[in-house]
Amino acid sequence: MRKKLIMAAAAFAVAGLVLSGCSPSSGNNSGGGSDKPLTIAMPNGAITENSNPFLSTAAGSQLGYRWAIYEPVVQFNLAEPSKPGTPWLAEEFAWNDDYTSITFTVRDGAKWSDGEDITADDYVYTFELLRDNPALNVSALPITDVTDNGDGTVTVGFETSQYVRQQFIYQTFIVPEHVWSKIADPETDVNKTPVGSGPYTLKTWTPQVVTLTARDDYWGGEPPVKTLQYSSFTDNAALTTALTSGQVQWTWTFIPDYENVFIAKDPANHLAWFPAGLGIDLLYVNTTEKPFDDAAVRKAVSMVIDRDKISTQAYSATSPAITSETGLPQPAGDPFISSALTDANYEVDVDGAKKVLADAGYTLDGDKLIDPSGTPVTFSLTNPTGWSDYLASLQIIADSVKPLGIDATVDAQAADPWFDAVAQGNFQATNHWTDTGITPYDIYSNSMNGTFNVPVGESAEWNFGRYDNPKATELLSQYVAATDDAGRQTALDGLQQIFVDDVPAIPTVGRAFGAEFSQKYWKGWPSADNPYAHPQPTQPSVSQVLMSLEANNG
């Protein structure tokens, strides 16, 4: 199974935002209405009845229907991260100058699905529940205090600046105190009759189909789609068949050659969109041992990689090639790229790479590259068996370095040993991902933050290549602590220059978060032309997408 399914739980941190000017009632023009349900599915295999919204393993999280029942306080768009968040369940929000507290305005007139008013008490209860129950606080929000200000607003305080972690606060859903305070164990309760603020309520639950119905008292207006039906398929292949036949209308599943396999089956109605936010796939290289302890080798390898070929052949064009040497994917990263590096773009340059190596003391012995100590340069690339996109990418990289005289091999291994080897630094080079946020911080922190740097043999959380550069670590801290945009950009400029000059890791493609849709019955899906929300059906933007749809009666 492809890596993105293994990452499903981590995708809780990934969400979407609204297009400027869009409101939750903007999609209510349903063109006369439709009695067709919207069918939504994921390839997660067997599910059990569990609608606890806090648990990533629950059916509500795996299928995504928790986000139709509950809602984030703020919507945000990872495809357009430079745009501010848009108030959603919270009517307004405001940060203090150093991002150590945020104040929410409780939406006036909003009600829970059982008819009770949503109040400041519910906000206070929810954030205190997260603070006091680490198992529920999956984003590890460092909440210190929660204050009802008595004027319809609630202020949440944090131990440290949350500027680079804003999305984790935004995606918090509020739960009703009058329901959850009576639950004996919120960490294990399966929440069979969920009461939420969102546009839908749970009607029936079976292992085959979970059915939700639209509310008639939702604060955002009348939902255009009256019935949602969620299902789980055994694997990508089964879901692809259901999608292409019209049985499923909204999903995310990896489809090799999706243009021919899916789009071409019904070009008028079959759609797909794979936007890349500020997260990337990159080649982590072990900087503690040969050959990648030498920046010249890292740079030379990066210079010969054909990223367009990786995008089109390994990823079936679902993930865009990284073009900027800063590692920032475009267009999401454009507003953050240093003005000094706007022209620093990747091109396959074998001759240039050979010169970099020659200048660093490397020589050729026939068709073999020899390092300054007289040792042939070789390395192995590894990823788990079955991760077809990553393994295909590695083979392209191995082929790309041959003209340099480097012998690189691709070695697949089982997933569990691979995870262990990467964490402990027992590898030479491997494809991996970075987190995705609303700033570039995660790309650079995940690849070169010294706070994650532990000796080989100990388990690292990030910086798997053990890149050691105190200046990079200092700049990352400065970026987090900065209190204005000028200070942040200064730190970011320095981080990008280090990334370009020293190549702590080697970017390949933007980490896309995609979805496939059918507009046979419902139209108005997010797209490149209208990128108003995160497109995946398991993300906090679900209510935003659902309220933007309209019946396709044409």
Side-chain angles (χ1 to χ4, degrees), residues 163-415:
Y163 179 78
V164 301
R165 303 183 81 246
Q166 295 171 60
Q167 69 270 20
F168 297 107
I169 291 88
Y170 294 161
Q171 70 185 16
T172 302
F173 49 80
I174 306 302
V175 296
E177 180 186 24
H178 68 278
V179 174
W180 282 81
S181 62
K182 299 174 184 177
I183 295 176
D185 187 356
E187 295 180 9
T188 61
D189 192 274
V190 297
N191 195 33
K192 285 190 176 183
T193 56
V195 175
S197 65
Y200 291 85
T201 59
L202 179 61
K203 181 180 180 182
T204 60
W205 201 105
T206 73
Q208 291 73 42
V209 179
V210 181
T211 302
L212 275 62
T213 56
R215 290 175 57 181
D216 59 9
D217 61 346
Y218 175 54
W219 64 266
E222 183 180 355
V225 184
K226 303 310 176 189
T227 303
L228 308 178
Q229 294 179 340
Y230 286 83
S231 299
S232 184
F233 286 76
T234 55
D235 54 29
N236 288 352
L239 181 50
T240 298
T241 299
L243 180 67
T244 55
S245 69
Q247 180 183 348
V248 170
Q249 296 148 29
W250 186 12
T251 186
W252 158 239
T253 186
F254 179 64
I255 307 174
D257 194 19
Y258 76 94
E259 289 278 3
N260 289 318
V261 172
F262 173 57
I263 302 294
K265 299 297 183 183
D266 187 356
N269 293 311
H270 287 182
L271 310 172
W273 185 42
F274 309 104
L278 289 176
I280 62 174
D281 281 348
L282 44 68
L283 190 72
Y284 276 104
V285 293
N286 192 333
T287 64
T288 69
E289 63 178 49
K290 289 184 177 183
F292 294 115
D293 59 346
D294 189 342
V297 175
R298 302 195 296 266
K299 181 176 282 291
V301 170
S302 182
M303 291 172 68
V304 298
I305 292 174
D306 190 333
R307 291 167 172 83
D308 287 331
K309 182 181 289 187
I310 289 175
S311 172
T312 57
Q313 295 185 11
Y315 290 83
S316 296
T318 60
S319 294
I322 297 293
T323 58
S324 172
E325 291 183 38
T326 65
L328 296 184
Q330 297 169 285
D334 284 339
F336 303 96
I337 293 177
S338 169
S339 59
L341 297 171
T342 54
D343 295 328
N345 294 319
Y346 288 119
E347 293 182 6
V348 177
D349 185 1
V350 174
D351 290 338
K354 289 180 176 179
K355 184 177 187 306
V356 167
L357 292 168
D359 290 346
Y362 290 78
T363 58
L364 281 172
D365 181 5
D367 60 354
K368 301 294 184 183
L369 184 68
I370 307 299
D371 72 17
S373 71
T375 304
V377 178
T378 65
F379 61 84
S380 64
L381 303 121
T382 184
N383 272 122
T385 303
W387 292 16
S388 58
D389 52 351
Y390 269 14
L391 291 172
S393 174
L394 295 184
Q395 189 58 58
I396 291 171
I397 293 171
D399 293 341
S400 297
V401 300
K402 286 180 180 178
L404 300 180
I406 298 174
D407 181 22
T409 59
V410 176
D411 302 315
Q413 62 182 128

Side-chain angles (χ1 to χ4, degrees), residues 447-463:
S447 59
M448 55 181 179
N449 195 334
T451 61
F452 298 126
N453 199 353
V454 297
V456 170
E458 295 183 16
S459 186
E461 184 178 352
W462 284 109
N463 189 6

